[in-house]
Amino acid sequence: MNYIYLTQDILEKIKTYREKFPLKEQAIIPSLHEILEKYRDIPEKALEELSDYLSVPLADIEGIVSFYDMFRYKKNARNHIRICRNLPCHLAKYHNILEMIKEKTGADVGKNSPDGKWYIELVECIGSCGIAPAFLINNDLYDGSKIKTDEDLKKILDKYE
Ligand code: FES
């Protein structure tokens, strides 16, 4: 198969995920993040290419894309923060992280910050319940339980300024 969406840079990253995880299915989610990062969307054809490259059924990949909100992407600010609100993250008090992020960025759920730098979205499980409350900034995953102070959060946000 000739790949159009899986460009060389994406393929190299997918290859590292494939080598990192014992099961090829475990490479699906990080690979989808790479596609999302590049195209700001998940093109249908890219799913076929990913299915071919990883040798996993297309239906399995489509199932993941339709299950996780994070793959229904709508980036409208420079940085997209996705905070998980499902039960394990709820029990781990994701709303504390949300409030801190809102205060620091000036953005709100579903709304850009006035400076256009930040957009916050509450999403369903992002497959990282082991580090609840989990959140993503663009493609980077964070363990919210490690953020205890405003300064901890500032250090993270500063990386995206
Ligand atoms: S419930 Fe939050 S990452 Fe799974």
Side-chain angles (χ1 to χ4, degrees), residues 1-157:
M1 179 183 237
N2 272 340
Y3 299 137
I4 298 164
Y5 290 96
L6 299 191
T7 50
Q8 202 50 44
D9 54 330
I10 293 186
L11 283 172
E12 276 165 25
K13 286 181 180 150
I14 295 175
K15 192 163 168 274
T16 63
Y17 297 133
R18 186 61 199 90
E19 288 163 358
K20 185 172 165 187
F21 299 115
L23 302 174
K24 57 191 177 186
E25 289 77 8
Q26 291 171 297
I28 296 174
I29 288 180
S31 301
L32 288 170
H33 278 299
E34 296 300 337
I35 294 167
L36 192 57
E37 179 67 14
K38 187 162 183 108
Y39 300 107
R40 307 292 187 223
D41 198 357
I42 305 280
E44 228 176 288
K45 183 87 175 104
L47 299 185
E48 290 171 23
E49 294 178 7
L50 186 61
S51 158
D52 183 73
Y53 186 76
L54 291 177
S55 300
V56 294
L58 179 58
D60 291 1
I61 299 177
E62 287 173 337
I64 287 172
V65 169
S66 60
F67 180 77
Y68 291 108
D69 269 0
M70 61 188 162
F71 294 126
R72 294 192 284 274
Y73 200 55
K74 48 185 188 310
K75 188 178 176 81
N76 53 10
R78 178 136 52 89
N79 298 297
H80 191 155
I81 302 174
R82 285 166 283 179
I83 303 171
C84 173
R85 63 174 169 198
N86 276 175
L87 191 59
C89 289
H90 185 79
L91 294 174
K93 300 193 168 58
Y94 80 84
H95 48 272
N96 289 348
I97 295 294
L98 171 63
E99 288 309 314
M100 286 171 85
I101 289 176
K102 275 164 62 174
E103 196 185 315
K104 272 261 174 293
T105 61
D108 204 341
V109 176
K111 285 192 189 133
N112 284 357
S113 57
D115 61 9
K117 284 184 187 167
W118 306 98
Y119 178 82
I120 302 173
E121 184 179 13
L122 290 180
V123 295
E124 305 307 321
C125 179
I126 53 177
S128 305
C129 319
I131 56 164
F135 65 100
L136 288 155
I137 300 182
N138 304 330
N139 228 8
D140 305 325
L141 179 65
Y142 290 98
D143 175 350
S145 72
K146 296 211 158 69
I147 298 169
K148 306 278 187 220
T149 64
D150 282 356
E151 194 51 36
D152 296 337
L153 180 61
K154 185 174 180 309
K155 272 188 207 147
I156 291 173
L157 296 181

